[in-house]
Amino acid sequence: MRIVVVNSIHHLKNNFLRRNMLIRKVELSMNREETLERLSSEISCVQKLLDTKYSEVIEISYQQKLREILKKMTFFQEKLKNNTFEISIVGLEKSGKSTFANAFMGNDVLPTKDARCTYTATSIRFGTENDAQVDFYSDAQFNEEFHRKLNLLGIENPQHWSEWSKELLDKETEQLPPLRSEQKNIYNDILEIITNRSSIQNLIGSESLHFVNHELETEVKEYIENPAKALAVKEIVIRSDKLSAMRNAIIYDVPGFDSPTQLHKDQTRAWMKKSDAVILIVNADRPSFNDSLVQFFESVDKDDDGISIGEKLFVFANRADIATTLQDNLQRIREELQNYRIMPTALIAQRLTAGSARARIELDNGNTQSAILQSLKEKGLAGDGIDTIRSLLEDYNNTVRLQVMQQRIANLKENVLALFSELRQENQIDGNSSIELQMDNLVDELKRTARQRIHNALAECRTQIVQQCKENKPITDKVRKNAIQSIDPVRYQITEDEIRRAQYEELSGAGVLERFDASIRDSKFTAMYEEFIDNVVHLAVEEYRESEKKILTAFESGLELTPSHPFFKELEKALKKYISEQCGKIAPEGYYNSLIRRYSRSLFEILISTPFGNIARYKKFDDDRRNFYSISLFTDEENPQIQPDKQSMHYQILFHQQINSNNDPQSNSLNDAIVKVESVTNEVIAVNSPLYHNLQNFCEKHPNNALAELDTLLAQLPPVETADANAIPFFAIQENPAVTKLNQLLEHALQESPNSAESQLTERAYAQFFQNYRKTIEKIPSEFNQDVCILKNILNEQVMNAVSIEIPFLDLVKQDIISLQKSLETAAFTSFINMEKAHILEEKYNQLNAENENRKRRLEIIREIDRILAAED
């Protein structure tokens, strides 16, 4: 069910039409005083509607329209109060317009010489004294008008008007298409300004000038007819005490239709539209209308009241005294007015008057027997025609023009009523759209759209985190730069105080030095290991917390929450709780703690806790051999040819020696040995073949003289049979006896293991290596420092490669995001929205409530406006 404000729209439209018809009938029957009284009431009504308390109902666009209506109503009010009657005197140049104006106002003020004498529009009105005021353009106004003319030509040049010359004007004009007729007039306007630039500059921006009495007949005329002065004039107002018979009249003597100056043509059109009546001056002795006059009337349609110019036109056939065939000429003028549709046919006979303005001037000067008056009498005219046309104008002003104003006022009121008809339509309330229902719709819409937005935001979040980890490995970099970098031999070195305390101990007896070494390492181990674990876990968890922030941001984005939201902090706290409940099954601290301990504890125990050279170090290695073997394979410079038990990392841990490095001379020795053996046995040695491994172990046992020792063994080999190049290779069908013999020699030599770290990693080999090693208290710090350096390098390389911490990090993040995405379709998310809807939708709820309250206020105000309009009726 729809609730319509005050009246239904259908009922409103019927009332609106009936009301308009009544307005027309009533107002057209009123006189001027009644019209003024009614208009004042309507102005008061519009002024009330523009009160600021109605601004929330009447939008700015409507307020602007009301102000425009009020401005027009006020204008009509002033005209009615003063009975202002504006009259434009128009015609061709030298047609006697100014002479007629002088005769009409009874004062010979306007210039009347034969040459063109009106350069600007001049208004004449009644005054108790004879005076004139001349107002000038400001420089900005004149420059703006000058550039308007340039634009009409198609010239866009920002130079100030005073900087223009004929050369510049012609240069700009040459780039334009050929000028049309009106454009040529504009060109002449501009050229005349340039020609009179110096005198115009002296007058522009000047204070207004006032002239009185005899100055009117001399100095004022200069500002009307002299272009050097008139072009700078914005307006001239002349007051005459001779206009007492038409005190309400304002007469405009405007330039001629055929003026070559476009500005003058524009002024004439503007004044014709603005005026209440237009007097067209024609020559009674030359009745045919020329093209300029006809074309000008064709270019002017209607005035501001919607009245055609012809309907308010009066024609004065001047100089009737010199017309040889006056009646024929007047008939010709009637035909011209009709044929060219200058004025309606029905009005021509009423508004065509013949006479002589010059005769009236002579009569006002006391010459009652002038030849002009005598000539008019001979042609059958009772007088000079001035009183006749004045009487016609007064009657027109009191009847037709008043009716036009009444109609226009009625139209303005119709506009007001139409505006409020639109306002009523815009402020209807749908009864089905209750505030509760609208709020429920908002919640349903939130659930539907937020699910998809959050799901997409989480997917994008996951993609970004994965991409970042693949490209940058942020956790590994942080661990290397912080946790591993903090394992510094200088920081953890055995101090002199610690050494001194040991020296005071009784160091005699077996094992005392070893116990001191083990004791001091135990204390170092605890500090170093726990700090390292804490640092790594902290850095990994820190990165995980950053991912949690991104996940939280995804939820905030999906719910369209920003820090400016009034409940942002409360909702952020609630979201953190929701996210934690949905994906908090695995504690990241324990997750990363167990992971890093798995790969690092044995290294800390063997290198930091266990003394160098002590059999306990080997036993620790042997107990956790498989773990050390697996870690060693994660070297950055992996060599697949080196067996796990021969990786350099083991020799560093046990013997502080690097074995089997790609750049180690022993590797070069192996390569040289293989080349030498292949040349002697005439057989290619395959990688991982028994001979390859025997040669590898042999070179490791003889790092300094492997090739020389190998030459001794090669000398014991049987001769090698060379196969025919075209036959099947000899060794393809049976074993090579030289290779068999060399393998036997190498295995025998390897059994005689020297006292060095290059032997097999056995307890016996380890004990033999250190059987002659003498530990001293001075060696303990350097041994420990070297162990710290080895630990740091292995952590930085093999351990970090083995842990590859970004993989478990991403796995944990992915689990969280997947769990959260799944939760969006569960009751948990629905419950969260229902619980937090008041906070999430707080702004929209407030807006909805505000709109509802505002609409109620609008309805109340509209009812009040209706009462105002009804009271005005």
Side-chain angles (χ1 to χ4, degrees):
M1 174 180 179
R2 299 181 63 84
I3 302 173
V4 182
V5 179
V6 184
N7 298 308
S8 68
I9 298 302
H10 178 71
H11 180 63
L12 180 65
K13 287 182 178 178
N14 289 338
N15 283 348
F16 183 66
L17 293 173
R18 288 197 297 270
R19 194 175 189 180
N20 289 346
M21 293 174 64
L22 181 61
I23 289 171
R24 289 192 181 93
K25 290 179 180 179
V26 172
E27 294 192 347
L28 293 179
S29 65
M30 292 188 299
N31 60 25
R32 190 178 302 277
E33 288 71 23
E34 290 172 330
T35 303
L36 179 59
E37 183 179 353
R38 189 60 176 271
L39 178 59
S40 298
S41 175
E42 291 170 359
I43 287 174
S44 176
C45 173
V46 175
Q47 287 173 334
K48 289 178 182 178
L49 298 177
L50 285 171
D51 192 294
T52 53
K53 69 179 180 179
Y54 302 137
S55 60
E56 61 182 280
V57 172
I58 306 176
E59 296 177 356
I60 294 177
S61 60
Y62 288 110
Q63 292 178 36
Q64 184 61 37
K65 290 177 182 178
L66 283 174
R67 288 191 181 93
E68 291 173 1
I69 291 172
L70 180 62
K71 181 179 179 181
K72 292 174 183 177
M73 283 182 168
T74 306
F75 170 76
F76 287 130
Q77 184 184 46
E78 289 300 312
K79 290 198 74 169
L80 287 168
K81 281 182 180 179
N82 303 319
N83 193 19
T84 305
F85 187 31
E86 296 179 287
I87 305 168
S88 292
I89 303 173
V90 301
L92 299 172
E93 289 191 332
K94 298 177 288 184
S95 63
K97 300 189 310 305
S98 297
T99 303
F100 175 85
N102 286 335
F104 194 85
M105 70 177 171
N107 200 333
D108 191 10
V109 176
L110 300 176
T112 57
K113 60 186 180 181
D114 291 338
R116 174 158 60 96
C117 56
T118 304
Y119 275 85
T120 187
T122 304
S123 66
I124 305 132
R125 58 192 73 188
F126 171 76
T128 56
E129 294 183 358
N130 294 331
D131 69 338
Q133 179 174 316
V134 180
D135 294 326
F136 299 96
Y137 286 106
S138 68
D139 183 74
Q141 291 171 336
F142 195 86
N143 190 58
E144 182 180 356
E145 182 61 26
F146 184 85
H147 281 90
R148 186 184 71 82
K149 297 179 188 297
L150 290 175
N151 292 336
L152 289 173
L153 287 182
I155 297 173
E156 294 185 5
N157 188 317
Q159 280 187 255
H160 191 267
W161 75 270
S162 61
E163 299 174 356
W164 282 75
S165 62
K166 185 177 184 302
E167 291 74 21
L168 176 58
L169 178 62
D170 289 341
K171 179 181 177 182
E172 293 281 356
T173 308
E174 285 173 2
Q175 303 176 28
L176 302 174
L179 299 179
R180 301 186 303 275
S181 176
E182 282 198 0
Q183 287 180 313
K184 289 179 181 178
N185 291 337
I186 296 171
Y187 173 88
N188 291 331
D189 291 353
I190 298 171
L191 187 59
E192 194 160 31
I193 291 171
I194 292 172
T195 303
N196 295 280
R197 176 172 54 211
S198 179
S199 58
I200 293 172
Q201 280 181 307
N202 292 333
L203 293 174
I204 280 181
S206 299
E207 297 289 332
S208 300
L209 298 178
H210 291 83
F211 302 95
V212 297
N213 300 325
H214 68 278
E215 294 175 338
L216 297 177
E217 299 179 4
T218 55
E219 298 187 40
V220 173
K221 292 181 179 180
E222 277 288 298
Y223 292 95
I224 298 174
E225 63 183 356
N226 183 359
K229 294 183 177 180
L231 289 171
V233 174
K234 184 179 181 181
E235 184 182 12
I236 297 177
V237 177
I238 299 174
R239 295 178 179 84
S240 172
D241 58 4
K242 301 293 181 62
L243 272 177
S244 58
M246 289 190 71
R247 296 189 178 204
N248 63 321
I250 300 176
I251 303 166
Y252 301 106
D253 181 28
V254 297
F257 299 141
D258 51 347
S259 170
T261 304
Q262 188 63 33
L263 172 63
H264 298 162
K265 292 184 177 182
D266 294 342
Q267 287 177 340
T268 301
R269 288 190 184 92
W271 287 114
M272 287 173 69
K273 289 184 176 183
K274 179 178 183 294
S275 299
D276 298 298
V278 178
I279 303 175
L280 172 63
I281 308 300
V282 298
N283 280 326
D285 62 326
R286 295 198 300 272
S288 296
F289 294 171
N290 65 16
D291 291 340
S292 296
L293 188 149
V294 174
Q295 291 172 3
F296 195 88
F297 270 94
E298 287 177 348
S299 70
V300 184
D301 186 13
K302 296 181 180 181
D303 67 8
D304 295 335
D305 295 336
I307 306 301
S308 68
I309 301 299
E311 290 184 33
K312 61 182 184 180
L313 186 66
F314 294 79
V315 182
F316 186 77
N318 195 25
R319 298 173 183 170
D321 56 304
I322 62 173
T324 56
T325 56
L326 179 59
Q327 296 304 321
D328 291 343
N329 290 355
L330 291 176
Q331 181 58 32
R332 180 64 180 274
I333 291 172
R334 294 187 191 98
E335 292 172 355
E336 298 275 89
L337 290 169
Q338 181 177 346
N339 293 339
Y340 292 118
R341 299 179 180 178
I342 292 175
M343 65 187 301
T345 304
L347 297 178
I348 294 174
Q350 303 172 28
R351 297 186 181 178
L352 173 61
T353 302
S356 171
R358 178 59 60 188
R360 184 52 178 258
I361 291 173
E362 289 191 4
L363 183 63
D364 288 343
N365 289 333
N367 187 359
T368 58
Q369 301 297 323
S370 71
I372 301 176
L373 286 171
Q374 188 62 33
S375 176
L376 292 174
K377 289 178 181 179
E378 291 174 358
K379 290 179 170 54
L381 298 179
D384 51 44
I386 298 299
D387 287 337
T388 302
I389 195 167
R390 184 180 289 161
S391 176
L392 289 171
L393 288 166
E394 280 294 315
D395 182 64
Y396 167 81
N397 185 42
N398 291 325
T399 56
V400 177
R401 194 59 184 173
L402 177 58
Q403 292 176 353
V404 170
M405 290 181 65
Q406 290 171 341
Q407 180 62 62
R408 185 60 188 276
I409 293 168
N411 291 341
L412 291 174
K413 186 168 183 180
E414 289 176 16
N415 291 340
V416 174
L417 295 174
L419 284 177
F420 282 94
S421 175
E422 293 179 23
L423 278 173
R424 289 185 183 93
Q425 285 181 295
E426 289 181 1
N427 286 275
Q428 295 179 83
I429 295 181
D430 189 341
N432 293 325
S433 298
S434 67
I435 187 70
E436 293 79 11
L437 180 59
Q438 292 181 65
M439 288 181 175
D440 288 343
N441 290 338
L442 282 177
V443 175
D444 291 341
E445 178 69 9
L446 174 65
K447 291 175 183 177
R448 184 180 62 82
T449 58
R451 280 190 177 98
Q452 189 59 48
R453 288 197 301 265
I454 295 173
H455 189 282
N456 294 341
L458 287 172
E460 178 64 23
C461 174
R462 173 177 170 177
T463 301
Q464 290 177 357
I465 294 173
V466 169
Q467 188 67 26
Q468 182 183 10
C469 286
K470 285 184 176 180
E471 292 178 355
N472 303 321
K473 292 191 174 181
I475 309 177
T476 298
D477 288 346
K478 287 181 180 179
V479 170
R480 282 174 170 161
K481 291 178 182 177
N482 297 286
I484 296 176
Q485 194 66 27
S486 67
I487 300 176
D488 185 2
V490 176
R491 182 181 174 205
Y492 288 105
Q493 66 182 331
I494 299 174
T495 65
E496 293 182 2
D497 288 341
E498 292 170 325
I499 297 294
R500 238 184 329 271
R501 283 197 300 272
Q503 289 175 335
Y504 284 109
E505 298 287 339
E506 293 185 4
L507 300 182
S508 60
V512 174
L513 196 58
E514 285 77 5
R515 288 196 303 274
F516 162 73
D517 194 0
S519 175
I520 202 169
R521 281 175 175 268
D522 278 343
S523 64
K524 298 287 184 181
F525 165 80
T526 302
M528 289 179 65
Y529 180 62
E530 294 302 329
E531 182 179 5
F532 171 74
I533 296 299
D534 288 346
N535 285 342
V536 174
V537 171
H538 171 75
L539 293 170
V541 171
E542 184 179 64
E543 192 68 24
Y544 178 76
R545 298 303 177 205
E546 288 299 316
S547 73
E548 286 184 325
K549 291 179 183 178
K550 293 175 182 177
I551 290 173
L552 178 63
T553 300
F555 269 84
E556 291 170 350
S557 173
L559 291 171
E560 297 182 327
L561 301 177
T562 63
S564 62
H565 192 286
F567 291 100
F568 182 76
K569 289 185 178 179
E570 292 85 345
L571 289 169
E572 192 172 55
K573 182 178 180 181
L575 279 172
K576 287 179 180 178
K577 181 181 178 183
Y578 175 83
I579 292 169
S580 175
E581 290 173 348
Q582 302 306 313
C583 59
K585 297 179 178 62
I586 301 176
E589 291 82 355
Y591 185 78
Y592 294 117
N593 193 305
S594 60
L595 178 69
I596 197 66
R597 287 180 186 274
R598 158 71 178 81
Y599 285 99
S600 63
R601 182 174 180 87
S602 58
L603 285 169
F604 273 87
E605 287 178 343
I606 195 170
L607 283 167
I608 303 302
S609 182
T610 310
F612 176 72
N614 193 302
I615 194 64
R617 178 170 288 206
Y618 176 81
K619 291 185 179 296
K620 173 62 182 172
F621 174 81
D622 196 42
D623 290 343
D624 213 4
R625 185 184 292 263
R626 294 180 65 181
N627 187 41
F628 286 119
Y629 280 0
S630 63
I631 293 175
S632 68
L633 295 178
F634 286 95
T635 178
D636 288 338
E637 298 178 356
E638 181 183 355
N639 188 341
Q641 298 176 349
I642 302 176
Q643 299 176 28
D645 61 337
K646 299 296 182 180
Q647 292 291 332
S648 177
M649 185 190 88
H650 309 141
Y651 294 93
Q652 288 180 296
I653 292 171
L654 295 176
F655 307 108
H656 288 180
Q657 292 185 8
Q658 293 193 27
I659 306 297
N660 294 331
S661 170
N662 288 337
N663 297 322
D664 194 87
Q666 295 164 8
S667 297
N668 295 330
S669 298
L670 174 62
N671 294 333
D672 294 340
I674 289 171
V675 171
K676 176 170 287 193
V677 170
E678 287 179 342
S679 66
V680 172
T681 62
N682 197 26
E683 183 173 344
V684 175
I685 301 174
V687 176
N688 292 330
S689 64
L691 180 57
Y692 180 91
H693 291 299
N694 285 332
L695 283 172
Q696 186 180 46
N697 292 333
F698 185 81
C699 290
E700 290 175 1
K701 290 183 179 181
H702 302 279
N704 299 320
N705 59 347
L707 294 180
E709 292 293 332
L710 183 60
D711 287 338
T712 303
L713 300 180
L714 293 176
Q716 303 176 42
L717 299 184
V720 178
E721 181 179 349
T722 303
D724 186 356
N726 296 322
I728 296 175
F730 176 76
F731 300 126
I733 57 176
Q734 63 180 8
E735 287 188 4
N736 186 338
V739 170
T740 302
K741 180 62 175 177
L742 181 58
N743 266 327
Q744 293 173 354
L745 294 172
L746 287 170
E747 288 172 359
H748 183 266
L750 288 171
Q751 290 176 359
E752 299 177 354
S753 176
N755 185 22
S756 71
E758 289 80 18
S759 62
Q760 293 287 340
L761 298 180
T762 63
E763 182 176 357
R764 178 170 173 271
Y766 183 83
Q768 286 182 348
F769 182 86
F770 286 102
Q771 66 181 352
N772 296 322
Y773 183 79
R774 182 173 177 275
K775 182 182 289 288
T776 66
I777 197 167
E778 289 78 17
K779 288 183 181 180
I780 291 175
S782 61
E783 292 169 352
F784 181 77
N785 288 347
Q786 193 165 358
D787 279 332
V788 172
C789 290
I790 293 170
L791 173 65
K792 183 174 182 179
N793 291 335
I794 295 174
L795 289 173
N796 193 57
E797 183 177 330
Q798 284 93 338
V799 171
M800 291 315 301
N801 291 343
V803 172
S804 191
I805 200 165
E806 278 74 23
I807 294 176
F809 166 77
L810 289 176
D811 181 63
L812 188 57
V813 171
K814 288 177 184 178
Q815 289 182 51
D816 288 346
I817 290 178
I818 291 171
S819 297
L820 289 168
Q821 287 176 324
K822 290 180 178 178
S823 78
L824 298 174
E825 304 300 329
T826 66
F829 182 73
T830 302
S831 176
F832 171 81
I833 293 295
N834 289 335
M835 185 176 297
E836 302 295 337
K837 63 184 180 182
H839 285 164
I840 297 173
L841 297 171
E842 195 267 349
E843 290 181 326
K844 292 185 178 180
Y845 278 180
N846 287 346
Q847 182 181 358
L848 205 59
N849 282 316
E851 288 176 356
N852 191 59
E853 291 300 317
N854 186 50
R855 184 165 295 182
K856 290 179 181 178
R857 288 196 301 271
R858 288 164 73 94
L859 293 177
E860 292 171 2
I861 292 172
I862 285 179
R863 292 190 184 100
E864 185 177 344
I865 290 172
D866 281 336
R867 289 192 291 272
I868 293 172
L869 293 174
E872 191 276 325
D873 285 340

